[in-house]
Amino acid sequence: MMKSAFGFAFSRSFGLLLVLAMLCSLSSFVVAQDVASLTGVVTDSTGAVVSDADVRLVDTKTNTSYEAKTNAVGAYLFGQLHPGPGYEITISKPGFETVKVADMYLAVNVTHTQNAQLRVGSSTETVEVSGVASAVTLNTSDTTIGNNFDIREVHDLPVLFRDSMASLAQFQPGVVSAPAVDDPNNSRAGAVTGSRIDQGNITLDGLDVNDFGTGQAFAATANAPVDSIQEFRGESANPLAAEGRGAGQQITLVTKSGSNDWHGSLSEYLRNTVTEANDYFNLRATPVVPRTQLNRNQFGVTLGGPIKKNKAFFFLDYNGRRDAQTDNVERIVPLDSSVEPTGNLRNGGIAYINNSGSCDENSRINTAPNCITQLSAADLATALPGYPGIQADAAFTSFINGRYPVANDLNAGD
């Protein structure tokens, strides 16, 4: 019995350790997918590399700092960085002037290259350089092909539905967004560089949010509103092994986070029927079909700031959407008295196709009037001798006249 109890306890402990190990390894794998990196080479004015230089990187939003030294070939590397703007790097070494590069933007899933040149002088003298111009650098670390959108571009792009970031994927190169000539149903919409439409991969803060149940392109189980996104990257070709499954586009989303400063926003996006054109086919109809109503309000609020400066931060986002929409519906209605004033249903009469000549079910009053027999309300009273006084129900006639529009096409209906 003691042996069995020991075996049970050991198995249970081993199982817990195994689960914890898997969670730890999973968290490391997840983090690796939504980070940025920074590298560069430090040289002197002659072009010779400078080794053993002190390199300090600071995220000015949260005052988080990282330190490194250049190696024998003058290179430094910072990995596992939170992507976004506001980075500042300082490079110094005794006998050289200090170089400071501010306002660097580190995009997600990209290794940013920031080289520096030190001039001989006092280390107390600092040369400041703006990193804004070097936000886009040549990717020399891998062969991935993709685009990064920073927060300003994300907010300014004309996104139809701001409650989902997936629609931004169509701005990437190689995405099929329009029906092909041989594909009238547009079943290939969303395909990327020849892959199937369900072969993309979407991660949000490193988590897999793919919706495999729909079989559609860019479908996510948890839609992230546009105003909650800090980083968006789409890779169309040559994704790395860490990017995930599928041969289609790899979409990486990173949400905003709080900082030492308070930030917030209020937004309202309005699509109004007054500013929209009517449909082409509505305008060609006779008479013209009126424009349908579509009033869409998309609104939201964001707020981020410190819980404890340099230690903990928060960010909140609310996104709402309200649609008021109508649609055109085609219905067959009783014949209008203004078109044919005798014997129609609106006046309490009936009309039917008779069997004279070549009359059939396709006969219409405007094309074969001899095939249409019309009985007025007075005719109905004497049409059936066995049923004197037969007439249309007054309540039903009132319902028809009050609810149905008048007819405008005599080619349809019986």
Side-chain angles (χ1 to χ4, degrees), residues 87-385:
Y87 277 92
E88 180 181 275
I89 188 171
T90 303
I91 304 173
S92 62
K93 185 176 182 178
F96 294 91
E97 294 179 349
T98 299
V99 173
K100 179 184 291 185
V101 182
D103 297 327
M104 291 192 303
Y105 196 109
L106 303 184
V108 65
N109 283 4
V110 174
T111 300
H112 182 91
T113 301
Q114 183 62 61
N115 299 324
Q117 186 179 80
L118 302 183
R119 295 185 303 185
V120 175
S122 173
S123 58
T124 59
E125 297 181 8
T126 302
V127 178
E128 295 190 6
V129 181
S130 175
V132 175
S134 60
V136 179
T137 60
L138 180 64
N139 183 5
T140 60
S141 61
D142 56 61
T143 59
T144 59
I145 299 176
N147 289 333
N148 286 81
F149 293 100
D150 66 25
I151 182 173
R152 292 161 297 183
E153 292 172 325
V154 166
H155 288 172
D156 293 341
L157 283 171
V159 183
L160 182 60
F161 300 115
R162 300 189 67 84
D163 53 0
S164 174
M165 284 296 300
S167 56
L168 283 179
Q170 61 185 312
F171 292 101
Q172 299 295 318
V175 179
V176 178
S177 58
V181 176
D182 58 348
D183 185 15
N185 296 323
N186 204 15
S187 61
R188 293 286 296 160
V192 181
T193 59
S195 65
R196 293 170 55 93
I197 62 174
D198 59 352
Q199 290 300 299
N201 184 58
I202 306 175
T203 59
L204 177 65
D205 291 334
L207 298 176
D208 186 329
V209 293
N210 294 283
D211 185 358
F212 299 118
T214 63
Q216 299 175 347
F218 318 131
T221 57
N223 286 328
V226 171
D227 293 326
S228 71
I229 294 299
Q230 172 69 44
E231 291 285 323
F232 171 85
R233 176 173 172 82
E235 294 181 5
S236 301
N238 304 332
L240 301 178
E243 296 302 319
R245 52 162 294 280
Q249 188 174 85
Q250 311 297 310
I251 301 174
T252 304
L253 303 175
V254 178
T255 56
K256 294 178 181 177
S257 62
S259 64
N260 284 327
D261 298 322
W262 291 90
H263 293 280
S265 66
L266 290 172
S267 62
E268 163 67 26
Y269 297 87
L270 171 65
R271 172 177 175 171
N272 195 289
T273 309
V274 176
T275 59
E276 297 297 324
N278 199 356
D279 183 87
Y280 170 79
F281 297 100
N282 288 348
L283 294 174
R284 287 183 59 87
T286 304
V288 173
V289 178
R291 175 180 48 195
T292 58
Q293 174 190 355
L294 175 55
N295 294 336
R296 174 176 294 130
N297 292 83
Q298 298 182 84
F299 51 91
V301 58
T302 66
L303 180 63
I307 299 175
K308 185 177 181 180
K309 284 198 172 184
N310 301 332
K311 296 294 183 181
F313 313 90
F314 78 94
F315 176 80
L316 300 175
D317 173 78
Y318 171 77
N319 180 80
R321 173 182 159 191
R322 303 291 185 270
D323 288 2
Q325 185 175 5
T326 61
D327 199 2
N328 290 324
V329 179
E330 183 179 5
R331 292 288 186 268
I332 296 176
V333 301
L335 192 61
D336 181 15
S337 59
S338 65
V339 177
E340 182 59 43
T342 61
N344 58 79
L345 186 59
R346 285 179 175 272
N347 290 335
I350 62 172
Y352 62 90
I353 301 175
N354 57 49
N355 58 0
S356 62
S358 58
C359 300
D360 56 24
E361 67 275 7
N362 296 316
S363 301
R364 299 291 180 265
I365 194 171
N366 60 324
T367 58
N370 61 302
C371 293
I372 308 300
T373 299
Q374 301 184 78
L375 299 178
S376 66
D379 294 333
L380 287 176
T382 58
L384 300 176

